[in-house]
Amino acid sequence: MRNILLYLFIILPFTAFAQEVRTFDVGGVKFKMIFVEGGTFTMGALPGDPDADADEVRHEVTLRDYYIGETEVTQALWEAVMPKNRSKHRGNGQCPVEYVTYDMCKDFIARLNTLTGLLFRLPTEAEWEYAARGGRHSKGYIYAGSNNIDEVAYTLNNVTERVHKPVGQFKPNELGLYDMSGNVWEWCDDWYRKTPSSKPSSNFHVIRGGGYDCSPRYCRSTNRYLYDQRRRRDLVGFRLVLN
């Protein structure tokens, strides 16, 4: 039986407020979940954004409190839970797991929940965007934590080789979250809808955040993309949410 430890403490990250963090240990691999205070926000394109797409429809959303992964799920954590690392680019446990389908992510989460006795899950699209934009502490940045993409994200702007980087190498956003822009795209739990009132697309879920081979416009916090839940690509990973 893998050793599972759980503890809670308060830290003061790069922001001016005390942020609650829950730290977990699964098989010797530690990971952190950052508290996000719920609230009502206008989801969708930022006013005046010239790169906004038609599906970034502005609409009001209200969210409850939740926790979200400080980083994308790493290959080390995946290996502590799953029998096989499915990533295309292996060798560094601190790199995000990638080359995983939506269903593979759900399988990982089910096994993690069995090990911990908790209810981790994928973020909803609204939860993902709210956290990327800094929640109640948002400063209105285009990207997750800055208007300068090179401060917070690994993209085509600053790529050194066509592969992802270890998590947490860039500046975090207002909540202390890393890589919500760039590095790898992240699965959300929602089916893709062109607008909030549209019929959901069959087999296509939402992915967010952009990746290392994307131009900055795809790494904006409001950018949306649809992806077949059955497909695998080395650009797509995920992060966890916990209520």
Side-chain angles (χ1 to χ4, degrees):
M1 176 63 69
R2 295 181 174 91
N3 183 34
I4 311 297
L5 299 174
L6 164 64
Y7 49 96
L8 175 67
F9 59 96
I10 303 295
I11 65 168
L12 189 68
F14 291 89
T15 55
F17 58 96
Q19 185 70 15
E20 185 180 307
V21 179
R22 296 178 73 177
T23 299
F24 299 85
D25 186 316
V26 177
V29 178
K30 292 182 173 61
F31 64 100
K32 295 178 181 179
M33 303 291 292
I34 306 293
F35 177 72
V36 182
E37 183 182 3
T40 299
F41 79 113
T42 302
M43 185 175 175
L46 296 179
D49 183 354
D51 291 321
D53 293 316
D55 65 353
E56 296 175 34
V57 178
R58 290 173 59 80
H59 61 288
E60 194 171 88
V61 177
T62 299
L63 297 172
R64 298 178 180 178
D65 297 349
Y66 59 99
Y67 290 82
I68 192 165
E70 178 186 46
T71 70
E72 295 150 340
V73 170
T74 64
Q75 294 187 29
L77 179 56
W78 182 276
E79 290 172 355
V81 174
M82 303 294 283
K84 183 177 180 180
N85 185 348
R86 298 290 184 173
S87 300
K88 189 171 184 179
H89 304 287
R90 297 185 290 272
N92 186 333
Q94 290 307 300
C95 282
V97 70
E98 32 80 5
Y99 209 54
V100 287
T101 65
Y102 172 87
D103 290 334
M104 287 177 182
C105 297
K106 298 287 274 191
D107 187 20
F108 167 90
I109 290 170
R111 291 172 185 247
L112 178 64
N113 289 344
T114 297
L115 287 171
T116 61
L118 297 170
L119 293 174
F120 291 97
R121 57 182 174 82
L122 289 173
T124 66
E125 188 181 7
E127 287 170 336
W128 191 98
E129 183 174 317
Y130 183 66
R133 290 168 60 173
R136 287 182 175 268
H137 305 276
S138 176
K139 296 180 180 177
Y141 295 132
I142 298 171
Y143 311 107
S146 180
N147 286 327
N148 179 355
I149 188 68
D150 293 335
E151 288 185 342
V152 294
Y154 188 50
T155 70
L156 277 181
N157 254 30
N158 52 22
V159 67
T160 55
E161 54 182 323
R162 299 298 288 271
V163 67
H164 48 56
K165 278 187 177 292
V167 299
Q169 301 296 300
F170 293 84
K171 176 184 172 182
N173 78 348
E174 298 95 320
L175 293 174
L177 304 172
Y178 293 88
D179 302 310
M180 294 202 79
S181 292
N183 215 11
V184 294
W185 291 87
E186 301 178 16
W187 285 108
C188 292
D189 203 35
D190 309 56
W191 294 104
Y192 176 82
R193 299 172 187 263
K194 182 73 172 179
T195 70
S197 60
S198 298
K199 182 179 178 180
S201 299
S202 176
N203 295 323
F204 290 90
H205 280 269
V206 177
I207 56 174
R208 288 294 206 117
Y212 64 84
D213 78 337
C214 294
S215 64
R217 75 179 306 272
Y218 295 106
C219 301
R220 295 173 298 110
S221 295
T222 62
N223 183 69
R224 312 172 64 226
Y225 200 75
L226 72 166
Y227 205 68
D228 191 322
Q229 70 176 68
R230 301 161 296 186
R231 287 192 63 190
R232 300 169 66 190
R233 194 178 176 193
D234 60 347
L235 285 169
V236 184
F238 67 110
R239 77 177 66 216
L240 299 167
V241 158
L242 179 68
N243 287 111

